[in-house]
Amino acid sequence: VLRSIGDDAAVVEARAVAVSSIDAVAEGVHFESSTHEPPDVGHKALATALSDLAAMGAEPGEALLALALPEGYGDDSALQLVEGARALARRTGTALVGGDVIAARALVVTVAVTGWADAPEELCGRDGARPGDLVGVTGELGAAGAGLLVLRGTRPDAPPAKLEALTARHLRPEPRLAAGRALALAGASAMIDLSDGLATDARHVAEASGVRLKVQLELLPLAPGVAPVASAAGRDPVQLAATAGDDYELLVCASPERRAALEDAAGAAGTRISWLGEVGSGSGLALVGRGGQLVEELRGYEHA
Amino acid sequence: VLRSIGDDAAVVEARAVAVSSIDAVAEGVHFESSTHEPPDVGHKALATALSDLAAMGAEPGEALLALALPEGYGDDSALQLVEGARALARRTGTALVGGDVIAARALVVTVAVTGWADAPEELCGRDGARPGDLVGVTGELGAAGAGLLVLRGTRPDAPPAKLEALTARHLRPEPRLAAGRALALAGASAMIDLSDGLATDARHVAEASGVRLKVQLELLPLAPGVAPVASAAGRDPVQLAATAGDDYELLVCASPERRAALEDAAGAAGTRISWLGEVGSGSGLALVGRGGQLVEELRGYEHA
């Protein structure tokens, strides 16, 4: 970083390939002030943007943060919000190099991130899935969705520490940067981050790749605590895990001969891959239930 | 551009040095729906961000656009807004490579831009002004401020075409990319874009450089039509030109031996430099009136 906050623009030494993304979150839509403290909001805004870099296999570089603050949003809250982003930036090796603060009629936080790679081939898009590929997912699903239910008042019969782990997954989503980088380098054919839920995001891969993804719902790796929360809320835990957004795990496709390499890469990055199904010709997403029947009309959260 | 809209992130081949900035504009603060059509808003959001690249002397590269749209903001309006940004992007050689659209409780448009240079020495910050330097400004000042007065109802005795030229300067500010690049390469010591008005932005250069800027107000190059509009509004035209924001001209400092080179560079970029004063030791900004007296307490628009 050659120039940073305090000039008209930030200046950094570049690597060969720049990867960039922008994400905005708004009060009342992506978070509520009743459940999200200012540092949570800053964390979430940066995490969602970094997650896009993870899904490409890029290494995080710089971030720019724009705060649109409503009247009455105090300086202390704004500083805490920035500190929430800054803490995640530090931990992920991201430099917070600039920003903008404006007055507005609502709280909107926008983050633009730049990541880097040394060659385009190191990166992985949404469009490379091919018939015959396996479909997998990192980590465990449903925790953020269950956490949101808990934040909204669902009270299952479970120890407080377990519930807190779930709400933390919603309040402080973790971009899977190391996993994304490792999986892209290990030969993933397509990748996407699960921001809107598998039922929606897997469709994006199918569309971009011109293929059909088939996912066995019973193979979804449920996070601990999802089942009791879903039950207490009268929801099917597997459907919750397939449709709730904000898990920010990575959906990955790869040819079967890459299977071991991807599993090793995930393990080295501190996570694991669960294989959920396969890629076929055709279009769209087939979600297959326990008895082999197609589960129709299951959609994740669609951002407006 | 290797990957663009439709993937998790945009991918471009980089040059040696990346320059990045983010700017947000909000309805009711930076623009009003009563006076700004959707394409104006898209244009303005991108123009303010590109202007930061101009002030560094960077060549524009890519832009990311995040729209936070309130309920009832139609798809047509959103598309027109994007088209307003896209038209400016095309004209300036900027690639609109990605974006985000979210629902929110207010209209907030955020643009992140990346520009490029082949070496850090090609760029110019705010911090390089030195005692003995000249202080200059590109183009003419006050047009955007006068245009805003016209938009708000001031009706001077002037032909409609002239008034339209003023309102256009407010509605469609033009980032001085060619001039900024040329001036940086010609050896400007410090540069800033006049987004908040000279009376504020010149202070930023003084602060960043640790010097005192002295500007003769009578040397400000008033844009045609500013005087009658200011008179009709009961304002002093020179003070209007010094304090109104949104002109997006460039304030530039340079050692006297660079004077001719900068003038030539500005001319080649289709504009001119007016020399307004000089840099001295000390701190802050001295605005000097016609009789040589200091004009105190003159401040430009300060973004919240």
Side-chain angles (χ1 to χ4, degrees), chain B residues 266-303:
Chain B
T271 185
R272 66 187 176 102
I273 293 191
S274 301
W275 300 107
L276 309 178
E278 60 189 21
V279 178
S281 58
S283 67
L285 171 66
L287 292 170
V288 183
R290 191 171 290 272
Q293 85 288 7
L294 280 185
V295 179
E296 304 285 352
E297 297 304 323
L298 213 54
R299 288 271 169 170
Y301 174 75
E302 308 259 2
H303 283 292

Side-chain angles (χ1 to χ4, degrees), chain A residues 2-3 6-30 32 52-53 55-56 62 64-68 97-106 108 110-114 116 120 123-127 191-193 208 303-304, chain B residues 2-3 6-30 32 52-53 55-56 62 64-68 97-106 108 110-114 116 120 123-127 191-193 208 303-304:
Chain A
L2 304 173
R3 287 178 183 275
D7 222 307
D8 288 293
V11 180
V12 304
E13 281 180 33
R15 284 164 59 188
V17 179
V19 183
S20 58
S21 184
I22 194 165
D23 273 279
V25 295
E27 184 177 5
V29 179
H30 302 85
E32 302 287 346
D52 289 325
L53 298 185
M56 303 295 295
E62 294 77 43
L64 301 164
L65 177 67
L67 303 183
V97 293
D100 193 15
V101 181
I102 65 163
R105 290 176 179 155
V108 177
T110 307
V111 174
V113 289
T114 302
W116 301 98
L123 300 171
C124 184
R126 296 177 175 181
D127 58 355
M191 205 151 53
I192 193 170
D193 63 318
H303 283 293
Chain B
L2 305 172
R3 286 179 183 275
D7 222 307
D8 288 292
V11 180
V12 304
E13 280 180 34
R15 284 164 61 189
V17 178
V19 183
S20 59
S21 184
I22 193 164
D23 273 279
V25 294
E27 184 177 5
V29 179
H30 302 83
E32 301 288 346
D52 289 325
L53 298 184
M56 303 295 295
E62 295 77 44
L64 302 164
L65 177 66
L67 303 183
V97 293
D100 193 16
V101 181
I102 65 163
R105 290 176 180 156
V108 177
T110 307
V111 174
V113 288
T114 302
W116 301 98
L123 301 171
C124 184
R126 297 177 176 181
D127 58 354
M191 206 151 52
I192 193 169
D193 63 319
H303 283 292

Side-chain angles (χ1 to χ4, degrees), chain A residues 15 54 57-59 116-117 122-123 176-186:
Chain A
R15 284 164 59 188
E59 288 189 276
W116 301 98
E122 293 181 0
L123 300 171
R176 301 304 184 193
L177 289 158
R181 179 97 180 127
L183 292 171
L185 292 175

